[in-house]
Amino acid sequence: MKNCNLQSPGTKVSQLDTPAFIVDLDKMENNISNMAKYCKSKNINLRPHIKHHKTPEIALKQIQNGAIGICCQKLSEAEVMAQNDINNILITYEIVTEYKINRLMEICKIANLIVLVDNPKNIKDLDEATSHFNTNLGILLDINVGQNRCGIEPDSHLVKDLANQVLTAPGLQFKGIHGYAGSIQSIVNFEERKKADKESMHKSLIALEQLNDSKIPVEIVTAGGTGTYNLTTQYDHVTEIQPGSYVFMDNQYSAVLNDFEVAGTVLATVISKPTSGRAVLDSGMKSISTDQWPPKIKSHQGISVNTVSDEHLTINLDSEDSKNIKIGDQVELIPGHNDTTVNLHTNCFAIRNGIVQNVWPISAHAMTR
Amino acid sequence: MKNCNLQSPGTKVSQLDTPAFIVDLDKMENNISNMAKYCKSKNINLRPHIKHHKTPEIALKQIQNGAIGICCQKLSEAEVMAQNDINNILITYEIVTEYKINRLMEICKIANLIVLVDNPKNIKDLDEATSHFNTNLGILLDINVGQNRCGIEPDSHLVKDLANQVLTAPGLQFKGIHGYAGSIQSIVNFEERKKADKESMHKSLIALEQLNDSKIPVEIVTAGGTGTYNLTTQYDHVTEIQPGSYVFMDNQYSAVLNDFEVAGTVLATVISKPTSGRAVLDSGMKSISTDQWPPKIKSHQGISVNTVSDEHLTINLDSEDSKNIKIGDQVELIPGHNDTTVNLHTNCFAIRNGIVQNVWPISAHAMTR
């Protein structure tokens, strides 16, 4: 069977097979550059989170623009990034089983790694592994700054105890604290977000002061995402931020702030138009996620989303103009949540002036282990 | 970098790296066998939908058990299945662009294909393509039997008009009608589901009678999914059903019927236990979908799901017993919706007696084009 399922650079967007995740290069480059400039102006390090775009080519662009390295959530994402010449990686996750720790040690051989810990047994396991594999591993204490997910409490004795345990482990390097509050990133109201961020910053400061009191040197305090990048960077004790979603943006983050433009969208095609008021697109939940905010129509006025099923998206043609839409026409959609949408795609099409410039493999797509 | 990310048959489930989509072989084989036996007893053809499991090995098992072929939703799924020796494929979708029609013609060279149409221009395009590529293609009219998505109205003149258009197209073979009502599959109350199915069956009968009146021969009337398999099969005019979810089941379908057992689950690991009442699993929305019903804990009593974020699932340890759970322990989860969960995984682990028997690539994973 001849493989027709490849589209190359040079293809016109209007000829792209769909559903496709497309990236507006001008907008994405602006987003990457603007975040880098802002962090530089605040004299704060930028370590973007690649769980958003999962694409080595984009991570490399972020580093070329001045990012000091990247964050990954999953070990398998870090494996992909390390194999693509990215050698400064913070895994913002607890790595706890023997199988995963062995994989972690393999990455340590080719990249500088930092991971989170919130538990003494895990520190012991990581220490023994570095000794066995003759490697080095950076460690951040994971502090619960309000999300109530992983992480020790900032006022717990564990802050000093775990830091001291790391300090006495030959293969582990104590780096500092991780105080990321995911739950406040998407608070739409600015004053409420600012207040929540302040509370979260206060918690990270409590943990930091415990370490300072014990004369434990702290190199890194990482906090802040896209929703709080301009809040977290106002605090002197924060050394780096880890925003992800500013690269592509989405409906959720567009409601939170307008400092960055939507650069990552899903291109779909009308496959059916049974009535003058209804049409069906080829982009269901398996190509555009619905876990947070719903998708929005970008390319047309007078069209609204009716229902999204697994492989269909039914739209209402509300205006006289939109009723002219035909089977085969393309419709561009803004995902509600791009992190989970990008993860549904195996490649993304980088577009400039209506032409595909690059087809990038989303190499960390489906890397959940 | 040494590749540690491969786990082979023979691995104990307790040693599996997570998050992992695991399949209980005994239960899955029972589900496949029971559905096949039921259809045989009703003298109705079974053409299971692979959009649920996306795995050629499982499709082949269904055929070995007596299924006449398979249904695919997307062209790329059909490409994968045809390349894996499945040669009787109904694509329950409209294939409308030149690019996709060319791909469709390539599959026609190695498999017997049927597609849906609901539009005269599309029939013309398909006819021209079969002439150009010297192929044959089966055609079903897509009838709107209540879902209000794709498909012509059953009482429309288009039923006869499109059928006649297909009959006069040399490369196209008119096969009959597609009257699938997705929206009623998951109505929990049996009497309500039965009533909705009856209305839907009535609509397919209206379309069928139009064709009978015109002496247009109808070989296939396909309808019914997992939620209506035992309803649709009671109607004489239906020749085949297309259930998908009975293979793995999920929370959504378990609430609808208990004729099949949950065979497909997600295995996760506790990565953090910050308090005696809270723990965190490594299976967020990127490994277990949340678009329909929420995930449920299968392996433990006294644990409830708190929040699901992209890569974390926070659980409440509600009982004294569940408070004993440790970091590194495995937790088995029943997805709310397995179609969208399976699509997040690149392989599935087929388990018998606590041992991995096979690691099957989910080859149609992420095949959305």
Side-chain angles (χ1 to χ4, degrees), chain A residues 188-205:
Chain A
V188 172
N189 181 281
F190 178 73
E191 290 304 325
E192 281 176 38
R193 192 162 76 252
K194 189 175 173 182
K195 183 167 170 282
D197 186 63
K198 190 178 176 182
E199 286 162 10
S200 149
M201 288 292 107
H202 179 68
K203 289 186 178 185
S204 65
L205 208 50

Side-chain angles (χ1 to χ4, degrees), chain B residues 43-155:
Chain B
N43 199 25
I44 203 159
N45 287 326
L46 170 62
R47 191 194 293 269
H49 213 306
I50 65 81
K51 82 188 200 68
H52 175 64
H53 59 66
K54 288 179 166 269
T55 306
E57 281 76 1
I58 298 175
L60 289 166
K61 272 183 194 288
Q62 291 173 305
I63 290 168
Q64 283 155 14
N65 270 263
I68 60 161
I70 59 167
C71 295
C72 294
Q73 200 80 305
K74 291 293 183 123
L75 185 61
S76 45
E77 292 173 339
E79 286 169 342
V80 167
M81 294 295 156
Q83 283 165 333
N84 280 275
D85 301 325
I86 293 169
N87 58 17
N88 192 343
I89 302 173
L90 162 57
I91 302 178
T92 57
Y93 214 76
E94 280 75 5
I95 306 297
V96 300
T97 61
E98 185 186 350
Y99 190 81
K100 279 207 165 67
I101 291 173
N102 287 346
R103 286 168 55 197
L104 188 73
M105 294 299 112
E106 291 295 324
I107 313 177
C108 283
K109 293 178 185 169
I110 61 167
N112 294 312
L113 272 196
I114 307 173
V115 294
L116 308 189
V117 299
D118 68 357
N119 168 274
K121 163 78 162 55
N122 187 214
I123 297 173
K124 185 168 172 285
D125 291 344
L126 292 170
D127 178 35
E128 287 173 4
T130 53
S131 163
H132 181 75
F133 286 86
N134 194 26
T135 52
N136 275 286
L137 181 64
I139 299 286
L140 290 180
L141 292 188
D142 196 7
I143 309 293
N144 178 21
V145 292
Q147 185 153 20
N148 296 330
R149 203 166 63 183
C150 302
I152 55 178
E153 293 303 311
D155 55 0

Side-chain angles (χ1 to χ4, degrees), chain B residues 242-282:
Chain B
Q242 46 174 281
S245 298
Y246 72 99
V247 176
F248 295 150
M249 294 294 284
D250 55 29
N251 288 339
Q252 182 179 216
Y253 272 106
S254 297
V256 172
L257 75 172
N258 55 17
D259 309 11
F260 306 96
E261 281 190 282
V262 172
T265 54
V266 170
L267 196 67
T269 299
V270 178
I271 60 156
S272 175
K273 192 187 174 190
T275 72
S276 65
R278 183 174 84 234
V280 183
L281 306 179
D282 60 358

Side-chain angles (χ1 to χ4, degrees), chain A residues 215-280:
Chain A
K215 310 268 187 273
I216 296 171
V218 172
E219 181 188 329
I220 297 174
V221 176
T222 173
T226 295
T228 57
Y229 85 100
N230 54 358
L231 299 169
T232 311
T233 40
Q234 310 295 331
Y235 291 88
D236 287 341
H237 69 286
V238 174
T239 65
E240 62 185 58
I241 63 168
Q242 47 175 281
S245 299
Y246 73 99
V247 175
F248 294 150
M249 294 294 285
D250 56 28
N251 288 340
Q252 183 179 217
Y253 272 107
S254 297
V256 173
L257 75 172
N258 56 16
D259 309 10
F260 306 97
E261 282 190 283
V262 173
T265 54
V266 170
L267 196 69
T269 299
V270 178
I271 60 155
S272 176
K273 193 186 174 191
T275 73
S276 65
R278 183 173 85 235
V280 183

